[in-house]
Amino acid sequence: MESRHIFILIILLIVLDALALNSSFGLIYASGILDDHYSRGEITLFLIFLNLTWLISSLINRTYNEANVQSIKALFKKMSITFLIQVLLLMVGLSFIKHIQFFNAHTFYILLAQIIGTSTVRLVIYYSERLYPKLNLYKKKIVIIGNHDLASLLERYFLKNKLSFNLAGSFTDFNTEVVDERNSKKINKLKDTVKFAIENNLDEVYTTQFPEQCQDLQGVLNLAEKNCVRVKYVTSFIRYKREEEAFANSSYIFNNFYDGIPILVNRREPLSFIGNRIAKRLFDIVFSLFVIVFLLSWFLPLMALLIKLESKGDALFLQLRSGKKNKPFYCYKFRSMNMNKDSNNLQASRNDPRITKIGAFMRKTSIDELPQFFNVLFGNMSVVGPRPHMLKHTEEYSKLIDQYMVRHFLKPGITGWAQINGFRGETKHHEQMLGRVKHDIWYMENWSLFLDIKIIYKTVVNAIKGEENAF
């Protein structure tokens, strides 16, 4: 399950179904008719059975599986089958309680109220999807490039899974002219339209062709990566099995099956799976809360006082940095320099005259980065990830270094794999930034919670020992 939108929808569906089931029982119970026939213990037992049989039925029927929540038809079909399995399980389970007669008009009313409640939940989801176009913002916006039969199969898959994907278009020949229907005139080449789509909030590009097969395609795919758009390659199962060994020895890696269609990517991304993203986010929340509560709660006001005593200005320094998908955010730091006009354009250098005395100590020990744990808690950053750069430097280096923007597929971090391997601080030379980018991409391809813990440990050790590039 890769889509956050679908994950949230499934959790919401589970919660609302549980609410509908228990509310329907509550309505019947509130009427008082059950009290005339059953004791409190018997009523409680029936409610437990009702919840337990729905849970077991939904697991058997995969009611909350990603593929089964994509359309209103699938939602109602799965709900109906789950309900029938539940009734069957109730009959079998309650048949062992011979001294209580549960199956009567009261049970019928409870089950009727339940089916009405769960049906209402699905209708609300369906009409919310149709009436609120803004929900499309939470789906993956994609395009397909290719004129192969596979492109048609893939298009059908995406249209069938509308709650996960927003299909922006399917493009075939790069040399085809696009016609403006309102003015009945040709406006541009199709490849220009693809470029326009990539530059306007696209998330993924799927192509049935590989760069080795189409010269025009390589430029489009390079543009995609510069705009933080993931590229995925579509192949047939027969071709995949035939060329599996060749793919194993190349840069292409198997990623997923979409209705039996193998999808390949050119790099591993453990954090593309939502389970890993949840684990990393939970770790970030717990770790940042620990630092904020037990350290920053008393250390922040102390440092603020020392900073303000030495120089004029705010104790905290807020600077726009490049975040995930190149979206800017305000990064928090303790102010380590005197107020100056070059703070958003010029990196700190060795013996920089702008740095204050307390600032020199903070930078040497990385104390100035501690307020970024608030960024982590708010979701702008992670504890570990590629360091966020100033907007100006992102713009400059994205033009000079291939794959520079790939590092923006992840949330930026307070520390990272590049930093503990010596690539921190000022980047005077092209090779220094190139090394940082290579380490950031390696981290993205090899992420694990253990690796994050290792990086945090190494960061603390380096801060205590002192680092040559920390100034």
Side-chain angles (χ1 to χ4, degrees):
M1 191 187 303
E2 299 181 26
S3 169
R4 182 174 61 176
H5 174 57
I6 288 297
F7 177 78
I8 293 171
L9 173 64
I10 289 173
I11 296 298
L12 186 65
L13 194 59
I14 292 171
V15 171
L16 291 177
D17 278 350
L19 186 63
L21 185 151
N22 288 281
S23 296
S24 62
F25 186 90
L27 287 172
I28 303 299
Y29 176 75
S31 68
I33 60 174
L34 296 180
D35 292 334
D36 299 332
H37 299 83
Y38 310 108
S39 68
R40 284 285 178 86
E42 291 168 345
I43 292 171
T44 303
L45 180 64
F46 185 73
L47 180 60
I48 292 172
F49 261 84
L50 203 64
N51 281 275
L52 191 60
T53 51
W54 178 264
L55 174 63
I56 294 171
S57 302
S58 62
L59 290 173
I60 292 172
N61 196 37
R62 295 167 62 100
T63 306
Y64 304 111
N65 181 270
E66 179 181 7
N68 297 326
V69 298
Q70 298 290 342
S71 68
I72 191 65
K73 181 180 178 181
L75 283 170
F76 272 99
K77 181 180 177 181
K78 283 293 176 180
M79 180 202 69
S80 302
I81 296 173
T82 301
F83 180 74
L84 291 175
I85 297 172
Q86 180 193 22
V87 172
L88 181 63
L89 290 176
L90 275 172
M91 292 175 64
V92 173
L94 295 176
S95 65
F96 290 99
I97 309 175
K98 300 187 182 297
H99 68 285
I100 306 174
Q101 182 59 42
F102 276 112
F103 279 92
N104 49 34
H106 306 140
T107 305
F108 172 78
Y109 293 141
I110 290 170
L111 293 175
L112 179 62
Q114 177 190 325
I115 200 71
I116 292 172
T118 51
S119 297
T120 302
V121 167
R122 281 147 182 79
L123 286 171
V124 169
I125 289 172
Y126 174 68
Y127 282 108
S128 295
E129 190 71 24
R130 294 193 63 179
L131 297 175
Y132 296 98
K134 285 186 178 180
L135 287 175
N136 284 332
L137 298 174
Y138 299 99
K139 303 176 187 179
K140 290 181 179 178
K141 188 177 180 182
I142 61 172
V143 297
I144 304 171
I145 299 175
N147 53 7
H148 197 275
D149 289 342
L150 281 174
S152 299
L153 291 173
L154 195 64
E155 185 175 345
R156 284 203 292 272
Y157 171 81
F158 291 138
L159 291 175
K160 187 173 70 176
N161 293 273
K162 286 184 177 181
L163 293 184
S164 291
F165 303 97
N166 179 15
L167 182 60
S170 184
F171 305 102
T172 53
D173 187 357
F174 280 115
N175 296 315
T176 302
E177 300 283 356
V178 179
V179 178
D180 184 341
E181 295 180 357
R182 290 173 299 178
N183 300 320
S184 299
K185 65 178 182 180
K186 296 177 180 179
I187 52 175
N188 54 15
K189 296 287 186 182
L190 188 56
K191 60 184 177 183
D192 296 327
T193 305
V194 177
K195 290 178 181 179
F196 176 81
I198 287 172
E199 291 168 348
N200 285 268
N201 300 317
L202 204 66
D203 294 305
E204 295 178 346
V205 169
Y206 289 80
T207 171
T208 61
Q209 294 178 305
F210 289 79
E212 298 84 357
Q213 301 169 324
C214 179
Q215 188 174 359
D216 281 340
L217 181 62
Q218 185 60 61
V220 171
L221 299 184
N222 289 341
L223 180 68
E225 287 204 333
K226 284 188 176 181
N227 286 273
C228 300
V229 176
R230 285 179 172 82
V231 178
K232 297 190 176 182
Y233 303 90
V234 188
T235 184
S236 67
F237 183 77
I238 295 174
R239 178 183 168 190
Y240 171 69
K241 295 301 291 182
R242 187 174 66 242
E243 299 182 1
E244 187 172 9
E245 185 176 345
F247 284 134
N249 297 321
S250 71
S251 60
Y252 299 111
I253 300 166
F254 172 76
N255 177 251
N256 210 337
F257 279 113
Y258 288 167
D259 275 358
I261 304 171
I263 306 296
L264 307 177
V265 292
N266 54 10
R267 64 174 61 87
R268 289 179 69 249
E269 282 191 66
L271 287 171
S272 66
F273 298 98
I274 197 161
N276 290 339
R277 294 202 301 274
I278 290 172
K280 185 172 175 64
R281 181 62 185 145
L282 286 175
F283 178 82
D284 283 344
I285 291 171
V286 172
F287 196 92
S288 60
L289 276 174
F290 181 85
V291 173
I292 291 168
V293 171
F294 293 102
L295 178 61
L296 287 178
S297 58
W298 59 269
F299 191 69
L300 193 150
L302 175 63
M303 290 305 302
L305 178 62
L306 293 175
I307 292 167
K308 291 180 77 67
L309 283 174
E310 184 181 9
S311 60
K312 294 180 180 180
D314 295 330
L316 287 180
F317 174 62
L318 277 63
Q319 185 179 61
L320 275 175
R321 298 284 182 97
S322 300
K324 185 178 180 180
K325 293 188 177 180
N326 202 26
K327 293 180 180 177
F329 71 99
Y330 280 103
C331 182
Y332 305 147
K333 297 182 71 173
F334 283 126
R335 181 172 58 82
S336 59
M337 295 182 177
N338 290 304
M339 301 295 290
N340 66 91
K341 296 179 180 180
D342 298 320
S343 57
N344 290 318
N345 301 302
L346 189 62
Q347 281 184 306
S349 57
R350 194 178 296 276
N351 301 319
D352 196 316
R354 296 174 297 168
I355 299 176
T356 62
K357 290 180 181 179
I358 188 69
F361 170 74
M362 288 192 298
R363 298 179 75 91
K364 189 68 178 176
T365 55
S366 299
I367 287 175
D368 61 320
E369 311 286 358
L370 287 177
Q372 287 164 33
F373 281 103
F374 287 103
N375 284 118
V376 175
L377 186 62
F378 298 154
N380 306 128
M381 294 178 66
S382 179
V383 176
V384 180
R387 283 296 296 160
H389 294 157
M390 291 187 289
L391 303 187
K392 179 186 177 185
H393 290 156
T394 298
E395 184 180 354
E396 289 176 356
Y397 284 113
S398 63
K399 298 174 183 176
L400 298 174
I401 298 176
D402 289 338
Q403 297 187 323
Y404 175 85
M405 296 304 296
V406 172
R407 65 196 300 275
H408 293 87
F409 285 151
L410 299 181
K411 284 183 182 178
I414 296 175
T415 184
W417 182 246
Q419 280 62 46
I420 67 167
N421 283 282
F423 294 95
R424 62 163 294 173
E426 187 181 17
T427 49
K428 285 184 177 180
H429 307 293
H430 181 273
E431 291 76 15
Q432 291 172 306
M433 183 58 75
L434 184 61
R436 182 179 291 187
V437 170
K438 285 182 177 179
H439 279 77
D440 288 338
I441 293 176
W442 184 91
Y443 169 78
M444 183 177 74
E445 294 175 343
N446 294 275
W447 174 87
S448 69
L449 271 181
F450 176 77
L451 179 60
D452 276 4
I453 293 168
K454 176 182 176 181
I455 291 171
I456 292 169
Y457 169 76
K458 185 68 174 174
T459 300
V460 174
V461 171
N462 288 349
I464 294 171
K465 290 168 56 178
E467 294 183 81
E468 182 182 352
N469 293 329
F471 49 79

